[in-house]
């Protein structure tokens, strides 16, 4: 980002870095200034901030000066504790929410009100990886609700299959269990599709794919639903334009897979915990004419590249490519054609 500048405080911290651990901590802190949930380090500490949305269970937005929960992750500590969309987050620990956010930015040397408070509140609500969260909510005129919620890094997650398939009266329901990064999902998806009648209607649920994935898996899934090469996503490389003054843009295609084609209709379900490659799949299926239903997604910016720092070998994961639908809309701004809350 050509507008990115370190604060004076972080510049001073950079001058004092002398060990690998100090460098990692500094880079973690510096990346926060981007206000981008997609910009993270490859390594981390046990007390690093939780990665959002992969390890968050609350989506929080600011309206009229207050911070409201708009979505709660299913089967999470927050949902089990009864937190609902519409609840206002009024305090984080012993600090009022806005004060906690101001402290967050002040710790990085950023002037109050100059950076993205919605980014900060989601990070704060997700918490430190090794600590439970003390959060206070207000539900209309009811008494404040004070909760201690486990961090998602502390929750013992039940091992789930890469996907689950359920036959319903109106359609076959295929849920992807946050496995779009796993190439083994291709064989699992192929096996599930092979069980179906060619014209059966399908619902593919991507509402629990916050970790994202890779285009190999995504194109393998989409390849079941095209009979000819079909453009599904536009890529742009802003860094090349900044370096050379020459713009670079290309379209990515999904290709048919030999012996694998499904003619039934397909519907995609998405939500706030549909991230990165899950969002790319939503764009792709939309370009292919499928119905996409749900809410706004994670809104993660672009395609991430692993950038290796030359002297330390530290990996920094940065969104480098800008991604767009075939109509030219930025991926992070994509809204499902059918608004539904799941």
């Amino acid at each position: 980002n050509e507008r990115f500048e370190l604060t004076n405080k972080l510049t001073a911290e950079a001058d004092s870095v002398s060990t690998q651990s100090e460098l990692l901590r500094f880079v973690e802190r510096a990346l926060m200034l981007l206000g981008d949930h997609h910009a993270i380090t490859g390594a981390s500490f046990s007390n690093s901030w939780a990665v959002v949305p992969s390890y968050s269970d609350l989506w929080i937005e600011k309206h009229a000066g207050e911070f409201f929960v708009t979505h709660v992750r299913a089967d999470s500590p927050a949902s089990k504790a009864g937190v609902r969309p519409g609840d206002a987050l009024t305090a984080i620990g012993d600090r009022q929410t806005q004060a906690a956010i101001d402290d967050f930015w002040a710790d990085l040397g950023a002037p109050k009100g100059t950076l993205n408070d919605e980014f900060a509140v989601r990070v704060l609500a997700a918490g430190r990886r090794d600590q439970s969260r003390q959060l206070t909510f207000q539900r209309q005129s009811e008494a404040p609700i004070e909760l201690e919620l486990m961090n998602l890094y502390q929750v013992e997650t039940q091992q789930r299959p890469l996907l689950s398939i359920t036959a319903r009266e109106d359609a076959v329901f295929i849920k992807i269990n946050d496995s779009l990064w796993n190439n083994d999902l291709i064989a699992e998806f192929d096996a599930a599709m092979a069980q179906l009648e060619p014209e059966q209607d399908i619902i593919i649920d991507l509402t629990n794919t916050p970790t994202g994935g890779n285009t190999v898996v995504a194109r393998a899934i989409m390849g079941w639903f095209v009979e000819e090469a079909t453009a599904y996503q536009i890529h742009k490389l802003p860094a090349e334009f900044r370096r050379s003054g020459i713009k670079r843009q290309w379209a990515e295609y999904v290709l048919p897979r030999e012996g694998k084609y499904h003619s039934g209709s397909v519907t995609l379900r998405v939500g706030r915990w549909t991230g990165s490659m899950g969002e790319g799949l939503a764009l792709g299926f939309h370009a292919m004419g499928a119905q996409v239903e749900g809410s706004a997604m994670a809104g993660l910016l672009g395609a991430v590249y692993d950038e290796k720092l030359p002297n330390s070998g530290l990996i920094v994961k940065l969104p480098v490519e800008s991604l767009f639908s075939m109509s030219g809309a930025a991926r992070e701004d994509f809204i499902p054609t059918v608004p539904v809350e799941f």
Side-chain angles (χ1 to χ4, degrees):
N1 188 328
E2 59 187 346
R3 295 185 300 275
F4 176 73
E5 292 183 4
L6 287 178
T7 62
N8 291 337
K9 183 174 183 179
L10 286 177
T11 299
E13 289 181 20
D15 291 338
S16 67
V17 168
S18 61
T19 68
Q20 188 86 354
S21 291
E22 289 173 351
L23 177 62
L24 174 57
R25 183 67 77 187
F26 167 76
V27 173
E28 281 190 330
R29 288 168 59 73
L31 287 178
M32 289 293 172
L33 296 179
L34 292 174
D36 182 353
H37 294 305
H38 222 185
I40 60 175
T41 54
S44 57
F45 297 100
S46 61
N47 65 346
S48 295
W49 290 110
V51 174
V52 178
S54 297
Y55 288 89
S56 68
D57 55 3
L58 294 168
W59 196 268
I60 301 168
E61 300 176 30
K62 188 175 185 179
H63 299 285
E66 293 190 82
F67 294 89
F68 291 95
V69 175
T70 58
H71 298 84
V72 181
R73 190 171 183 172
D75 300 320
S76 69
S79 68
K80 292 175 181 177
V83 182
R84 304 176 194 165
D87 291 347
L89 178 64
T90 58
I92 299 169
D94 60 359
R95 300 285 282 162
Q96 295 297 305
T97 301
Q98 185 63 63
I101 293 168
D102 292 343
D103 291 346
F104 177 86
W105 291 126
D107 180 54
L108 301 172
K112 180 179 177 179
T114 59
L115 295 177
N116 186 345
D117 283 354
E118 289 187 338
F119 166 84
V121 76
R122 290 193 284 267
V123 171
L124 288 165
R128 295 282 186 182
R129 303 181 188 198
D130 62 345
Q131 301 173 20
S132 59
R133 301 163 286 160
Q134 311 292 328
L135 304 176
T136 303
F137 299 91
Q138 182 73 49
R139 183 172 297 158
Q140 297 179 345
S141 60
E142 298 179 17
I145 306 166
E146 297 182 7
L147 296 174
E148 180 174 353
L149 300 177
M150 292 183 70
N151 190 287
L152 267 67
Y153 289 83
Q154 301 172 313
V155 176
E156 291 187 14
T157 55
Q158 190 176 22
Q159 188 67 29
R160 295 183 177 181
L162 301 181
L163 62 76
S164 53
I165 181 168
T166 306
R168 301 183 177 181
E169 289 186 6
D170 57 339
V172 174
F173 187 85
I174 300 175
K175 185 176 180 65
I176 307 296
N177 295 316
D178 202 18
S179 56
L180 292 173
W181 51 270
N182 190 333
N183 284 9
D184 292 343
L185 178 61
I186 297 173
E188 293 283 334
F189 190 83
D190 289 350
M193 294 297 298
Q195 299 175 29
L196 308 183
E197 297 297 326
E199 296 182 356
Q200 281 185 284
D201 294 337
I202 297 174
I203 298 172
I204 300 177
D205 188 334
L206 299 178
T207 56
N208 183 34
T209 56
T211 307
N214 63 64
T215 64
V216 175
V217 174
R219 286 181 283 110
I221 291 172
M222 290 187 289
W224 273 91
F225 305 96
V226 297
E227 293 184 279
E228 59 184 19
T230 304
Y232 80 92
Q233 184 170 250
I234 294 172
H235 299 244
K236 295 182 181 181
L237 199 58
E240 186 163 321
F241 175 64
R242 289 197 294 269
R243 285 194 303 267
S244 67
I246 306 301
K247 294 181 179 180
R248 184 179 180 190
Q249 173 177 315
W250 67 97
E252 186 168 9
Y253 284 75
V254 56
L255 302 175
R257 297 180 61 201
E258 186 175 353
K260 295 176 174 61
Y261 176 68
H262 190 83
S263 60
S265 71
V266 59
T267 299
L268 229 63
R269 289 187 174 177
V270 300
R272 281 300 191 187
W273 282 271
T274 305
S276 196
M277 197 63 249
E279 298 177 83
L281 274 170
L283 261 65
F285 273 101
H286 179 70
M288 292 154 50
Q291 177 170 290
V292 180
E293 59 185 28
S295 68
M297 299 181 286
L300 297 178
L301 300 177
V304 168
Y305 288 14
D306 284 358
E307 303 291 341
K308 188 175 183 178
L309 301 186
N311 295 325
S312 65
L314 180 68
I315 299 296
V316 181
K317 296 176 177 289
L318 294 173
V320 173
E321 293 176 11
S322 299
L323 300 175
F324 299 85
S325 71
M326 295 310 300
S327 63
R331 187 183 74 177
E332 59 269 22
D333 296 331
F334 179 82
I335 300 295
T337 49
V338 180
V340 183
E341 295 293 338
F342 297 112

